[in-house]
Amino acid sequence: MMKELHSQGTKIEDIKAVLKRTPIHPRIIQAIKSAYALGCDLKIVSDANAFFIETILKHHGLREYFSEINTNPGFVDEEGRLRIFPHHDFTQSPHGCHHPCPPNMCKGTVIERIQASMSTEGKKTIIYLGDGVGDFCPSLKLGDGDYVMPRKNFPVWDLICENRRLIKAEVCEWSNGDEFEHVLLHLISRISIDRNNSGNSTAQLYSVDCKPQTMPGAAHEKPFFHALYVPH
């Protein structure tokens, strides 16, 4: 697609201009800032690409809130063309996942890597947010005490409903920006209270996917970001 756009005379600045016009629902922006202020380490797991995500986050002043972006590599080459590559090189080394993950990225594998990196830091709680088919696999990687926040009436919600017995994490659905903020911040508060009562100050992990999409029922149909959050 990028090759076709460039062949039609589209410049990288044209692409940036379109990306910068991508709105994010105001409650999503506030939820990101609130989660960060509460000590969350925010991470992104997305099947978009690095150039799109970085451009949109920087435009909205949100880049500094995320410590890690896991997505398809994307960069501008010496000729000013946007080049996008798959997160997994499926032609040389397929990720081999049997769940409905696209060939270029298995988010479950990414979550497993994050979990492994957390294993030496004590118990952490994961909250995974998503809405697409590719968000089902990482939901299966979560354990007891974790949370998954599927977007209601979207593909991942349908898959979770059809396979509820396979999900060990607590399911907390949401439908719009207001619900997104309310559910996420409620869970952060709940986890913090439980942790304080237990006397355990170990960090928590909250996770999300990040790509701009339109939220049904949201004011002015504004897109939002899926994201990945971690208190520390």
Side-chain angles (χ1 to χ4, degrees):
M1 182 180 71
M2 290 297 104
K3 183 177 181 180
E4 182 179 350
L5 285 175
H6 288 305
S7 68
Q8 295 172 354
T10 302
K11 306 297 183 183
I12 198 66
E13 292 306 320
D14 298 326
I15 297 173
K16 284 184 177 181
V18 172
L19 292 171
K20 290 176 180 179
R21 291 199 297 271
T22 302
I24 302 178
H25 192 285
R27 302 322 305 168
I28 299 299
I29 292 177
Q30 188 55 50
I32 290 172
K33 293 181 177 179
S34 296
Y36 182 86
L38 289 169
C40 298
D41 176 13
L42 315 185
K43 300 180 187 291
I44 291 172
V45 180
S46 173
D47 192 20
N49 67 79
F51 181 82
F52 282 18
I53 294 172
E54 292 271 1
T55 300
I56 294 172
L57 289 180
K58 288 177 181 177
H59 177 68
H60 289 280
L62 295 174
R63 179 61 185 91
E64 65 188 81
Y65 293 95
F66 295 90
S67 66
E68 186 177 323
I69 297 177
N70 299 275
T71 188
N72 299 296
F75 65 92
V76 180
D77 66 17
E78 63 278 1
E79 296 180 8
R81 297 177 301 183
L82 178 58
R83 306 289 299 276
I84 299 173
F85 297 91
H87 183 269
H88 292 299
D89 185 356
F90 55 88
T91 60
Q92 299 294 324
S93 180
H95 54 65
C97 181
H98 300 296
H99 299 297
C101 297
N104 61 292
M105 187 176 197
C106 171
K107 294 178 184 177
T109 300
V110 177
I111 292 301
E112 286 181 325
R113 178 187 60 76
I114 292 174
Q115 289 172 321
S117 69
M118 294 161 44
S119 63
T120 60
E121 303 172 14
K123 172 62 178 175
K124 295 187 179 181
T125 301
I126 297 178
I127 304 176
Y128 187 88
L129 294 84
D131 64 7
V133 170
D135 295 308
F136 180 63
C137 182
S139 299
L140 296 173
K141 307 298 182 181
L142 307 180
D144 293 331
D146 291 328
Y147 300 88
V148 57
M149 285 178 56
R151 188 175 175 189
K152 196 171 182 179
N153 298 322
F154 273 70
V156 71
W157 164 259
D158 295 335
L159 286 169
I160 287 176
C161 289
E162 293 168 4
N163 301 276
R164 198 61 171 260
R165 62 183 179 80
L166 300 179
I167 305 296
K168 297 178 181 178
E170 183 174 335
V171 179
C172 303
E173 70 272 13
W174 57 280
S175 298
N176 54 50
D178 291 328
E179 288 184 6
F180 178 100
E181 179 185 38
H182 174 75
V183 174
L184 178 61
L185 297 186
H186 172 74
L187 289 178
I188 293 174
S189 175
R190 175 176 161 185
I191 292 168
S192 297
I193 291 173
D194 290 344
R195 188 159 297 280
N196 288 335
N197 289 339
S198 67
N200 188 339
S201 60
T202 306
Q204 314 289 316
L205 170 67
Y206 306 88
S207 106
V208 196
D209 172 29
C210 179
K211 55 180 176 286
Q213 294 190 357
T214 300
M215 302 186 67
H220 309 299
E221 293 295 307
K222 292 187 176 181
F224 76 106
F225 275 102
H226 293 283
L228 198 58
Y229 308 95
V230 190
H232 60 136

